[in-house]
């Protein structure tokens, strides 16, 4: 079924694209011949040589199931062809399925990923009316739009087809005939809304009215489903229905249709659901939605509609009708496979050897767990039934909802126009994937994840490692990977290897269970540990003081870079291609993580991934910061609906015309002076406000190396805290009353480093440990960064950038002004206003004090 939504840059990390990446995109997805290389001076051709162009490489043959291998068939909900997909649609089905398909290829499974546009039905007819063209023209137009959007997002289908194909008609009608033969279909007269003005029966999506569901009352519910509460409806159930075409009130009229008798198929269906939901580890939201349908009681479902655009019903009495889209669209998975290979039955009729994984949004669950399985079971044939279903909740936009019908949110073509590269969008959507509950897209959050997690964590680690290796001899390794014998005997490296192996085990377990967000988090944990490893090893000192140990650290770190390129390829393929280019490794040969090749076992020995003597390529930054002003620009640019944006653009264009006409018109001198004075005063006031920003605070991740009681004060501790400098800082804190001494040892804390030093009972304190207190100050807890955050890393705040003040002097009152807005929120996250304290490894938190003040 088509993927639907609800009524329905921060640190701009811009990827620096390589020619290799662009060539890869061309090789993988372009259907046009490659462009010629730049002209070069060549010797005159030898007339005896055959200079005929070599024949074009033929596309690879379609993949078929292979006995003895793991054969995986992946589908994602077929997106409706009547509009441009928005980010909620993309993460809800197509992108999630792509990640899993890429993971399966990485692991060496025999996999195909099938998708395409859902082209029949009322939605297409309605859009054709709006755009004053034929349904086929609409389908041709938007199929191309969808293809282009998915190509830009690096979605790698084995086949992206269409349901308006001869194969769809053939397969759909064959299934219908089997259902007729087996007596699972009945005829019935139903009441349907008829518009006298348009002189036609109104299909579900041509009717809108008030939702009849108690507690909902949504005013613009469609005739088939309410976008607000997701309740499936019949058009006649709507309160005060209206024809979407002419806005008049339709009347009820009798019409004959064919029905699939779901109640008679219930036993077969329930047996399938009970068995497969367990063995296939269905997501909890899929199980709940399915059980809700079963609990309500299965009802006969109409499979025909009074439309012209669709698969014709092969029955004399109903030859002027077409199949209803809920019946016909899931069959599209089969027909698109049939357009991929004539041997499609080897995928779809071999349940012993093929596993079917399906991805969709939550509003599509009943069509895939109840209706489509019932259809296949009713044929009596041996179909490959869905094993695992992965369902997402809704991704909402800023303060509202993504909506195709209302044009709200960021759409696929919008993402491309921001110049934020596809791997950044993929990463953000996947870290924010709504697996168990609705999640929220915000520009500030995109910025924070881009700058903190991609730039400062992942990009920083890789660039730091490769840049050091690339330095000339005497300062680095002249781009040659050093030998590192006995790496396992290096204690710090051995501890890192154990952590890395655990992360890889967690990654594989999560991905096998289609817990994509957890898989991504596990891979990023390797990067965080890598940063901490570099910092703790102090490799820049080891290079001169202990060259053998430095070689171990760098060879191991290069191994982690390679490992990250592999594990993150399903999530950010173009990033991985670029990292392998910088490693001077072939993606075709190197992107693999198979058990039978021993690649996954190497996680216990990361120094073995890249051999000594290998020469790396030229390192370069992988991401670029997204600035505050860019984020604000995007937020304004994508505010409101698409229609409102278009109106605003037209108004801006008119305003520019007026402004251009006024150029050169002279104001009186007095007016100029007044205006200049007014602007000057306003600017001063605005700048004064901007100057007092939380970025002025130098808050860092610190590690308490030692803590002891103050010799002359019972209520004070004296701590030695490592904040990433040559020597630890001495800090005095009044925490004796609240935190036991043993809990102050060797723990990470958030430290304000640019307060003016102050003597406390004879000992000068050179920083301040941040802590949260409850309302009556009877309880105090330390603000804690994530365990894997790098010591010395600066804590950042999304939407606020700039350098900290050298010293927060008493005159500026900066600390006094800003500290009033430091607090822990209801989720125990440390915040400035509503913006989290953020490190490359995640946000900073307190243990139990919600809504406490932080000082």
């Amino acid at each position: 079924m088509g993927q639907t939504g609800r009524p329905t840059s921060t640190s701009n990390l811009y990827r620096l694209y390589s020619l290799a990446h662009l060539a890869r995109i061309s090789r993988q997805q372009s259907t046009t011949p490659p462009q010629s290389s730049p002209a070069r001076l060549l010797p005159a051709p030898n007339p005896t040589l055959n200079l005929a162009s070599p024949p074009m490489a033929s596309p690879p043959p379609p993949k078929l199931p292979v006995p003895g291998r793991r054969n995986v068939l992946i589908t994602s909900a077929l997106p409706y062809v009547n509009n441009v997909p928005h980010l909620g649609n993309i993460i809800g089905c197509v992108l999630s399925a792509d990640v899993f398909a890429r993971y399966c290829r990485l692991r060496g499974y025999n996999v195909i990923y099938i998708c395409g546009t859902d082209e029949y039905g009322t939605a297409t007819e309605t859009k054709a009316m709006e755009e004053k063209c034929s349904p086929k023209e609409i389908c041709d137009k938007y199929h191309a739009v969808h293809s282009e959007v998915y190509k830009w997002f690096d979605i790698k289908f084995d086949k992206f087809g269409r349901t308006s194909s001869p194969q769809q008609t053939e397969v759909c009608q064959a299934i219908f005939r089997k259902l007729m033969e087996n007596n699972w279909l009945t005829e019935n007269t139903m009441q349907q809304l008829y518009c006298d003005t348009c002189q036609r029966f109104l299909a579900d999506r041509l009717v809108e009215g008030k939702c009849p569901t108690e507690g909902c009352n949504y005013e613009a519910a469609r005739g088939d489903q309410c976008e607000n509460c997701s309740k499936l409806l019949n058009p006649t159930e709507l309160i005060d229905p209206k024809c979407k075409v002419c806005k008049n009130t339709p009347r009820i009229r009798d019409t004959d249709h064919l029905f699939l008798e779901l109640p008679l198929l219930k036993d077969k269906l329930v047996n399938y659901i009970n068995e497969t939901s367990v063995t296939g580890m269905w997501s909890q939201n899929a199980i709940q939605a399915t059980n809700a349908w079963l609990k309500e009681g299965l009802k006969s479902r109409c499979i025909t509609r009074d439309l012209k655009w669709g698969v014709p019903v092969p029955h004399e009495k109903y030859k002027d009708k077409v199949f209803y889209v809920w019946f016909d669209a899931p069959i599209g998975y089969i027909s698109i496979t049939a357009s991929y290979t004539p041997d499609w039955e080897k995928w779809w009729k071999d349940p012993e050897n093929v596993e079917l994984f399906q991805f969709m949004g939550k509003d599509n669950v009943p069509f895939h767990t109840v209706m489509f399985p019932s259809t296949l079971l009713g044929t009596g044939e041996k179909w490959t039934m869905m094993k695992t279903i992965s369902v997402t909740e809704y991704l909402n936009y800023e303060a509202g909802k993504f909506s195709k019908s209302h044009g709200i949110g960021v759409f696929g073509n919008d993402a491309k126009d921001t110049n934020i590269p596809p791997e950044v969008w993929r990463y953000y959507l996947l870290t924010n994937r709504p697996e168990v509950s609705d999640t929220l897209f915000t520009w500030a959050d995109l910025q924070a994840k881009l700058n903190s997690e991609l730039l400062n964590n992942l990009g920083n680690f890789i660039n730091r490692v490769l840049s050091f290796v690339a330095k000339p001899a005497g300062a680095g390794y002249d781009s040659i990977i050093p030998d590192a014998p006995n790496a396992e005997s290096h204690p710090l490296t051995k501890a890192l290897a154990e952590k890395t192996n655990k992360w890889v085990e967690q990654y594989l377990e999560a991905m096998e269970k289609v817990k994509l967000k957890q898989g991504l988090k596990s891979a990023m944990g390797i990067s965080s540990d890598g940063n901490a490893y570099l910092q703790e090893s102090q490799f820049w000192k080891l290079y001169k003081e202990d060259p053998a140990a430095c070689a171990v650290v760098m060879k191991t770190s290069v191994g982690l870079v390679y490992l990250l390129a592999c594990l993150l390829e399903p999530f950010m393929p173009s990033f991985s291609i670029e990292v392998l280019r910088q490693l001077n490794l072939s993606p075709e040969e190197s992107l693999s993580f198979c058990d039978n090749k021993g690649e996954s076992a190497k996680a216990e020995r990361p120094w073995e991934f890249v051999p000594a003597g290998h020469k790396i390529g030229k390192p370069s930054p992988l991401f670029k910061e997204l600035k505050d002003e860019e984020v604000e620009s995007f937020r304004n640019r994508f505010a409101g609906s698409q229609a409102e944006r278009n109106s605003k653009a037209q108004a801006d264009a008119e305003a520019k015309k007026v402004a251009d006409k006024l150029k050169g018109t002279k104001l009186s001198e007095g007016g100029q002076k007044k205006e200049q004075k007014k602007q000057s005063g306003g600017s001063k006031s605005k700048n004064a406000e901007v100057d007092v920003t939380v970025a002025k605070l130098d808050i860092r991740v610190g590690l308490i190396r030692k803590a002891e009681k103050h010799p002359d004060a019972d209520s004070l501790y004296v701590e030695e805290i490592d904040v990433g400098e040559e020597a630890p800082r001495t800090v005095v804190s009044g925490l004796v009353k609240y935190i036991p001494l043993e809990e102050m040892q060797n723990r990470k804390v958030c430290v304000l480093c640019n307060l003016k030093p102050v003597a406390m009972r004879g000992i000068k304190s050179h920083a301040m440990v941040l802590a949260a207190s409850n309302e009556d100050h009877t309880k105090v807890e330390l603000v804690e960064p994530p365990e894997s955050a790098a010591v010395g890393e600066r804590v950042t705040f999304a939407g606020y950038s700039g350098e900290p003040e050298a010293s927060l002097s008493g005159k500026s009152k900066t600390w006094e002004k800003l500290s009033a807005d430091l607090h822990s929120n209801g989720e125990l996250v440390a915040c400035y206003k509503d913006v989290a304290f953020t490190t490359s490894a995640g946000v900073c938190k307190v243990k139990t004090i919600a809504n406490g003040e932080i000082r």
Side-chain angles (χ1 to χ4, degrees), residues 246-264:
C246 67
K247 308 304 179 188
N248 288 321
T249 302
R251 63 185 175 90
I252 295 175
R253 183 171 147 181
D254 289 347
T255 178
D256 291 338
H257 283 286
L258 289 166
F259 288 74
L260 177 62
E261 290 297 331
L262 291 178
L264 299 180

Side-chain angles (χ1 to χ4, degrees), residues 712-755:
D712 297 317
D714 292 340
S715 62
L716 301 177
Y717 286 131
V718 180
E719 303 109 19
E720 297 295 318
I721 304 181
D722 182 355
V723 290
E725 299 168 339
E726 287 188 10
R729 293 196 187 194
T730 300
V731 180
V732 181
S733 306
L735 297 170
V736 171
K737 182 179 174 184
Y738 306 102
I739 302 173
L741 182 60
E742 61 270 18
E743 292 183 17
M744 292 293 291
Q745 311 296 333
N746 296 309
R747 68 183 297 176
K748 287 182 178 174
V749 289
C750 290
V751 185
L752 180 62
C753 293
N754 58 340
L755 276 178

Side-chain angles (χ1 to χ4, degrees), residues 8 83 127 130 403-411 413-414 636-652:
T8 117
N83 215 324
K127 192 69 174 179
E130 288 175 13
S403 171
K404 281 197 296 185
S405 55
H406 299 292
I408 293 171
V410 180
F411 287 71
N413 51 344
D414 296 331
N636 292 332
R637 178 174 161 190
F638 296 107
S641 68
Q642 288 178 316
E644 289 167 342
R645 292 175 211 160
N646 291 336
S647 299
K648 184 178 183 300
Q650 292 171 3
D652 289 345

Side-chain angles (χ1 to χ4, degrees), residues 329-344:
I331 295 172
Y333 301 130
I334 303 170
S335 71
I336 293 169
T337 310
S339 67
Y340 168 69
T341 172
D343 294 320
W344 61 269

Side-chain angles (χ1 to χ4, degrees), residues 191-485:
Q191 292 185 322
Q192 195 171 332
L193 294 175
Y194 184 88
C195 179
D196 290 308
T197 306
C198 298
Q199 293 191 335
R200 62 182 294 178
F201 283 103
L202 297 181
D204 300 349
R205 285 180 173 242
L206 288 178
V207 186
E208 275 190 355
K210 191 174 181 179
C211 178
T213 306
E214 188 176 349
C216 179
N217 299 321
Y218 181 57
E219 294 287 348
R222 297 195 312 254
D224 60 343
Q225 188 173 27
C226 175
E227 291 181 308
N228 187 54
C229 69
S230 298
K231 177 81 171 180
L232 293 179
L233 301 169
N234 286 314
T236 52
E237 296 177 300
L238 292 174
I239 300 168
D240 191 23
K242 299 290 182 186
C243 170
K244 280 192 71 173
V245 179
C246 67
K247 308 304 179 188
N248 288 321
T249 302
R251 63 185 175 90
I252 295 175
R253 183 171 147 181
D254 289 347
T255 178
D256 291 338
H257 283 286
L258 289 166
F259 288 74
L260 177 62
E261 290 297 331
L262 291 178
L264 299 180
L265 287 159
K266 182 180 178 181
D267 290 344
K268 293 176 183 288
L269 177 67
V270 169
N271 287 339
Y272 159 74
I273 291 171
N274 289 343
E275 180 181 340
T276 312
S277 61
V278 176
T279 58
M281 295 179 291
W282 288 11
S283 55
Q284 196 57 38
N285 45 10
I287 293 172
Q288 289 170 349
T290 304
N291 287 340
W293 259 63
L294 295 177
K295 187 176 179 181
E296 277 187 18
L298 295 177
K299 300 176 179 66
S300 301
R301 296 292 297 189
C302 182
I303 67 168
T304 53
R305 275 293 177 260
D306 291 294
L307 293 173
K308 298 298 181 188
W309 183 244
V311 174
V313 179
H315 188 290
E316 184 60 31
K317 181 177 178 181
Y318 298 98
K319 63 184 179 181
D320 292 331
K321 299 181 191 288
V322 299
F323 287 116
Y324 187 15
V325 72
W326 76 258
F327 176 81
D328 133 76
I331 295 172
Y333 301 130
I334 303 170
S335 71
I336 293 169
T337 310
S339 67
Y340 168 69
T341 172
D343 294 320
W344 61 269
E345 290 187 345
K346 291 183 178 179
W347 283 107
W348 280 99
K349 292 188 176 181
D350 189 2
E352 284 82 16
N353 293 307
V354 177
E355 300 170 63
L356 173 58
F357 288 75
Q358 298 196 291
F359 291 77
M360 68 207 66
K362 65 180 177 183
D363 49 353
N364 266 319
V365 170
F367 300 105
H368 291 78
T369 62
V370 175
M371 297 183 183
F372 186 41
S374 295
T375 300
L376 297 182
L377 291 168
T379 65
E381 296 178 312
K382 199 175 180 182
W383 291 95
T384 300
M385 306 287 285
M386 177 182 64
K387 173 191 172 185
T388 299
I389 181 171
S390 181
V391 177
T392 56
E393 304 290 314
Y394 292 123
L395 175 69
N396 293 321
Y397 180 70
E398 292 280 345
K401 304 167 186 170
F402 277 98
S403 171
K404 281 197 296 185
S405 55
H406 299 292
I408 293 171
V410 180
F411 287 71
N413 51 344
D414 296 331
K416 182 178 179 181
D417 292 343
T418 63
N419 289 324
I420 299 172
E423 63 266 35
V424 173
W425 284 108
R426 286 175 66 110
Y427 178 82
Y428 178 71
L429 291 172
L430 289 159
T431 58
N432 218 17
R433 185 174 186 251
E435 293 182 356
V436 295
S437 61
D438 292 357
T439 57
L440 184 66
F441 171 97
T442 69
W443 287 102
D445 189 36
L446 171 64
Q447 180 189 27
K449 285 188 167 62
L450 188 98
N451 293 345
S452 296
E453 298 174 18
L454 291 179
L455 180 62
N456 294 340
N457 177 359
L458 181 64
N460 175 62
F461 172 67
I462 293 171
N463 192 250
R464 208 173 168 192
V465 171
L466 299 186
S467 295
F468 190 80
V469 172
K471 286 181 179 180
Y477 296 95
D478 203 20
S479 299
I480 305 296
I481 304 299
D483 197 8

